[in-house]
Amino acid sequence: MKKKKSKKKPSSVSRLYWNFLQGNLDPSELTPKQFNQIVLEQYIQYKQRGGYKSFEEYYAYVQSKRI
């Protein structure tokens, strides 16, 4: 049997980022402040998984992809 994934928001994730992950936010309608917060949370997870890029490099990459 497959284990069902929980749809409950983890305590370490902001409500804004959680809504983004769930697909409840349109990336084109984010304010610059919201975009920066989401990128920062993505970067923290990236570093925890062993990422090697600096924040500036990661931010430039994400900005070029526009999430």
Side-chain angles (χ1 to χ4, degrees), residues 16 26-40 55 59 63 66-67:
L16 173 69
D26 182 8
S28 64
E29 294 180 359
L30 293 174
T31 67
K33 186 175 180 180
Q34 291 172 324
F35 176 77
N36 291 343
Q37 182 180 348
I38 289 172
V39 172
L40 180 60
F55 180 73
Y59 186 84
Q63 200 169 28
R66 192 60 175 156
I67 305 181

Side-chain angles (χ1 to χ4, degrees), residues 51-64:
Y52 60 91
K53 291 182 181 178
S54 70
F55 180 73
E56 291 79 15
E57 291 173 317
Y58 186 80
Y59 186 84
Y61 169 76
V62 172
Q63 200 169 28
S64 71

Side-chain angles (χ1 to χ4, degrees), residues 4-19:
K4 281 191 169 185
K5 288 188 176 181
S6 174
K7 293 222 176 200
K8 186 177 178 184
K9 181 183 88 57
S11 61
S12 63
V13 175
S14 72
R15 183 173 288 130
L16 173 69
Y17 188 48
W18 181 251
N19 285 332

